[in-house]
Amino acid sequence: MSTSKQDTTAREPLPRKIWRATAVGAARALAAPRLQLAAKAGLAAGLAFLIAPLMPGAAAQYPYYAPLGALVAMYENVAGSMRQGLQTLVGLAAGIGLAFLLISFGASPLTVGVVMALGVLLAGLPRLGAGRDWIPTAALLVLLVGGHNPDDFSFGYLLQMGVGVAVGIVVNMLVFPPLHFNAAALSLAELRLALARQLSDMGEAVHEKWPPEHQEWSRRSEELAGSARSVRAAVEKADASREANPRRRFHPRDVNLDYRNVRDLERVTFHIQDMTEVLTDVIWSEDMPFTIPLPYSEPLAEALAAVSEVLRSAEEDDAGRQAELLSAAHAAVDALEVRITSEDVDADAPSAGESILLSLHRILRVARTDGR
């Protein structure tokens, strides 16, 4: 089923592929967070350009660098704006200093080449971050644009960029500074439900006549791992959005709990990936010496479904219901264990049920200690 869909996509006409890619890119560009960031960038650039002519001395002659500084400082969170703005100013100062070492030789192919080479070398210094790219840029501008008055140009360039950076930081801090808590909570919930669905689908596959007709679940292992990585990135983004954000006091959230939930879900993901691979090998690998004996199929399917319900119930607020489902899952897994260890099961080949049983026990251990 999945392969035919991929084949259909591969046969899709090129104009349609281009249109689809353009539509996806436009949807991402017009997402609410991106629109908000764009509006704040425009506001900051306009304010910076309004203030720029008021700067003292020769700096007033270079007002166009102020909106550039505002744009540089505009980041998806306040702490990132501060860090990126400061790093940019440090890189500019380093580049200007580099240019002054060679400015007495004038602008020539040799001095331009030397400045660029030294700028790239300095850009390799650690902890410069966003400022590394501005070292050769600033050095080249001072050398080529500064002309016969590099002092005024350098002063105006650095001051106006500093004004723009300051305006960008202030705007980002005061105008709806983003808190990415909702995205983190949503990603955690989506991963739990995806893991629950995987267990449920595997339970249904055990019920089917082997080999099962439905194989989608057997291909989701890497997809689940990618989802777990995305969840951790979302929580880290939410954590970063709290720093220096004045809104955090009005929207408190226990991000440490989010990190604990991420770690728990990563462990659950690992165990479910292992079960997925075990079942896939048992069903479809001809050289696999292990089997799932028929007497295990019913209790195994019930255990998988019960543990799936435990994961799904974690998104509910009813603590009593969660405790009831957890107790039922323990009972189902214990029943599976009794069946596996019973003497009336005489499999022709070693059973893979013990591996799945162990993974289910570990998932329930995580669910029992979940800090939610």
Side-chain angles (χ1 to χ4, degrees):
M1 181 180 297
S2 177
T3 303
S4 61
K5 182 178 179 180
Q6 291 175 357
D7 292 342
T8 302
T9 303
R11 293 193 298 268
E12 194 175 28
L14 182 59
R16 185 174 297 178
K17 287 183 179 180
I18 295 175
W19 171 254
R20 185 190 301 275
T22 303
V24 171
R28 291 177 179 174
L30 296 177
R34 176 59 58 177
L35 285 175
Q36 186 183 80
L37 185 64
K40 292 198 295 185
L43 175 62
L47 289 176
F49 195 63
L50 179 66
I51 297 172
L54 305 178
M55 292 300 103
Q61 302 175 22
Y62 307 99
Y64 36 83
Y65 288 117
L68 178 60
L71 184 63
V72 166
M74 197 53 57
Y75 196 70
E76 62 185 10
N77 58 63
V78 178
S81 285
M82 294 180 175
R83 180 174 57 253
Q84 188 160 285
L86 179 60
Q87 290 171 344
T88 297
L89 294 178
V90 170
L92 288 174
I96 291 172
L98 175 61
F100 269 86
L101 292 177
L102 296 172
I103 204 165
S104 59
F105 296 99
S108 68
L110 178 60
T111 55
V112 168
V114 171
V115 162
M116 287 296 96
L118 292 177
V120 171
L121 284 176
L122 288 177
L125 292 175
R127 299 185 181 180
L128 277 177
R132 69 176 72 249
D133 297 327
W134 288 93
I135 295 177
T137 302
L140 187 63
L141 285 175
V142 172
L143 191 63
L144 299 181
V145 181
H148 300 292
N149 199 359
D151 294 340
D152 287 346
F153 175 80
S154 300
F155 170 72
Y157 183 24
L158 189 58
L159 179 60
Q160 294 287 19
M161 287 289 289
V163 168
V165 165
V167 171
I169 292 172
V170 170
V171 168
N172 205 16
M173 180 180 293
L174 298 181
V175 181
F176 297 108
L179 286 170
H180 299 288
F181 295 159
N182 290 338
L186 180 61
S187 63
L188 285 165
E190 287 177 344
L191 180 57
R192 281 195 186 91
L193 294 178
L195 294 172
R197 183 183 66 165
Q198 181 70 358
L199 287 176
S200 177
D201 288 352
M202 286 194 290
E204 292 178 4
V206 173
H207 268 306
E208 294 181 18
K209 180 182 178 181
W210 285 19
E213 294 181 1
H214 302 94
Q215 305 179 20
E216 296 89 346
W217 60 269
S218 65
R219 306 188 186 101
R220 292 188 194 136
S221 185
E222 286 304 315
E223 179 183 336
L224 292 175
S227 297
R229 289 191 294 269
S230 297
V231 170
R232 175 166 287 278
V235 172
E236 290 174 347
K237 184 177 181 179
D239 188 15
S241 71
R242 297 186 308 159
E243 299 180 26
N245 194 324
R247 293 180 60 211
R248 63 179 295 183
R249 68 182 65 180
F250 304 107
H251 302 275
R253 183 175 181 85
D254 189 354
V255 178
N256 291 328
L257 176 59
D258 287 337
Y259 277 118
R260 291 198 297 272
N261 286 332
V262 167
R263 288 192 293 269
D264 288 344
L265 287 177
E266 286 172 339
R267 291 165 60 192
V268 172
T269 301
F270 172 79
H271 296 312
I272 291 180
Q273 282 183 289
D274 184 66
M275 286 190 291
T276 301
E277 293 175 5
V278 168
L279 268 182
T280 300
D281 288 342
V282 167
I283 295 173
W284 286 288
S285 294
E286 297 180 357
D287 58 347
M288 171 58 64
F290 296 90
T291 64
I292 300 291
L294 183 61
Y296 297 177
S297 60
E298 188 65 27
L300 175 57
E302 292 177 356
L304 289 168
V307 176
S308 170
E309 288 301 314
V310 169
L311 293 179
R312 190 172 282 109
S313 71
E315 296 308 315
E316 302 176 1
D317 294 329
D318 189 345
R321 175 63 175 164
Q322 292 176 10
E324 179 184 338
L325 291 173
L326 183 60
S327 177
H330 276 292
V333 173
D334 290 342
L336 173 62
E337 184 175 3
V338 170
R339 169 57 73 182
I340 289 177
T341 58
S342 63
E343 296 181 357
D344 61 334
V345 175
D346 184 18
D348 295 332
S351 169
E354 289 88 347
S355 173
I356 298 177
L357 176 65
L358 180 59
S359 294
L360 290 174
H361 271 300
R362 288 173 170 170
I363 292 173
L364 289 180
R365 185 186 307 164
V366 173
R368 187 173 61 248
T369 58
D370 192 345
R372 287 175 52 82

